[in-house]
Amino acid sequence: MKSDTTANVKNGTLRAPLKRRGMAQDVADRIRDAILAGEIPPGERINEVEMAASLSVSRGPVRDAIVLLRQEGLLQGDWHRGSRVTVFTHKDLEEIYSLRYSIELLAVQRLIAHRTERDLDLLQVRAEDIERAAALGDRGEMLQSDIAFHDAIYACAGHERLEQVWLGLRSQIALLLLNRQQGHDDYRTRIGPEHWEMFRVIRDKDGAKAEELVREHIETAFERIKADLDSKERLQGAG
């Protein structure tokens, strides 16, 4: 006797949602890439009809993609008002960076305790990618390589749930880094040395220095982005 599951698969009832889900993920990837390339700025609304037309898909996958991107924190809004690219508040910044400090410190500590030569090889490649992107002045590559370095830290830390927490914050942090690099020219000069120094303390298993670097790295980013937000609010108030 065939099970209900076998019958459902044969009849195709489990296949269609998987296909649409795959398309929704593709659409989400395209929208995410556009947001993180600065092509869709914070506060801009996502028009489902226009987006579906530009991507040559129906509105269904676009709606599903919007749900995914809301879960990532890249979009905000509701079905009545529509969705827009996230505009971060001071509360958002404090929550994101306080959480990031906690999880990144734990990830680096675990990596120092258990790191392998293969882990170091991966981190070295990621640091080289950052250095190359900074030398070229390619902002898109700098952002991607910055995030990829931290992806590697969490992947090598050997803590799956910790990595999942990072992945839940990853897109929001990338959007904040995009705002930071647009507002500060020193991002290009700082990004390489900062990540090479982190590589060295992990290689040398210097836990005390690692804690200092994580705190400094995250506090610096937080303060610069907060200053940008303060400046924008003052300009809006003056207007």
Side-chain angles (χ1 to χ4, degrees):
M1 179 177 179
K2 294 182 178 179
S3 68
D4 290 340
T5 299
T6 302
N8 285 340
V9 171
K10 184 175 180 180
N11 292 333
T13 56
L14 294 181
R15 294 177 181 173
L18 289 175
K19 182 177 180 181
R20 174 163 164 175
R21 182 182 179 87
M23 186 176 294
Q25 187 62 65
D26 289 342
V27 172
D29 290 344
R30 294 283 293 277
I31 298 174
R32 184 189 306 105
D33 289 347
I35 292 171
L36 297 181
E39 297 170 7
I40 309 177
E44 184 163 325
R45 291 186 66 252
I46 302 296
N47 185 297
E48 287 183 16
V49 175
E50 293 178 0
M51 187 64 68
S54 67
L55 296 175
S56 300
V57 298
S58 66
R59 291 179 64 182
V62 174
R63 283 194 295 268
D64 292 343
I66 287 172
V67 171
L68 294 173
L69 295 173
R70 281 180 179 172
Q71 292 171 349
E72 292 181 17
L74 278 183
L75 297 180
Q76 57 189 187
D78 55 44
W79 295 117
H80 301 292
R81 294 176 297 173
S83 296
R84 61 175 184 164
V85 179
T86 297
V87 176
F88 293 106
T89 65
H90 285 87
K91 183 174 183 290
D92 294 329
L93 293 185
E94 194 282 327
E95 290 183 355
I96 290 169
Y97 277 94
S98 61
L99 179 55
R100 185 184 176 191
Y101 172 73
S102 297
I103 64 172
E104 192 135 321
L105 180 58
L106 177 57
V108 170
Q109 289 172 336
R110 286 182 59 88
L111 184 51
I112 286 174
H114 306 292
R115 62 125 177 99
T116 65
E117 289 303 314
R118 185 174 180 179
D119 295 335
L120 292 178
D121 289 343
L122 176 58
L123 288 173
Q124 181 173 339
V125 168
R126 295 293 179 257
E128 290 169 349
D129 290 341
I130 290 173
E131 190 172 52
R132 187 178 307 110
L136 294 172
D138 188 323
R139 291 189 173 187
E141 286 298 322
M142 282 191 286
L143 176 60
Q144 290 181 25
S145 58
D146 189 340
I147 292 294
F149 183 92
H150 295 279
D151 285 343
I153 287 178
Y154 288 95
C156 296
H159 193 310
E160 292 183 8
R161 286 172 175 78
L162 182 62
E163 186 176 9
Q164 288 302 313
V165 175
W166 159 250
L167 292 175
L169 285 178
R170 183 181 188 274
S171 292
Q172 296 172 70
I173 290 170
L175 183 55
L176 287 168
L177 284 175
L178 175 67
N179 295 337
R180 179 191 172 192
Q181 70 170 220
Q182 290 176 340
H184 298 278
D185 292 336
D186 72 339
Y187 179 80
R188 178 180 177 183
T189 60
R190 291 175 62 98
I191 184 174
E194 283 181 351
H195 288 83
W196 274 119
E197 191 169 9
M198 182 61 71
F199 167 78
R200 285 191 291 271
V201 298
I202 292 171
R203 180 196 62 195
D204 298 340
K205 295 193 171 186
D206 189 343
K209 183 63 175 177
E211 182 174 354
E212 178 185 333
L213 282 179
V214 170
R215 180 171 55 252
E216 180 182 337
H217 182 74
I218 292 176
E219 284 183 353
T220 298
F222 173 78
E223 291 299 333
R224 289 182 180 276
I225 295 169
K226 180 177 178 295
D228 288 342
L229 182 58
D230 290 341
S231 177
K232 289 176 183 178
E233 289 182 348
R234 284 195 297 270
L235 289 174
Q236 290 172 353

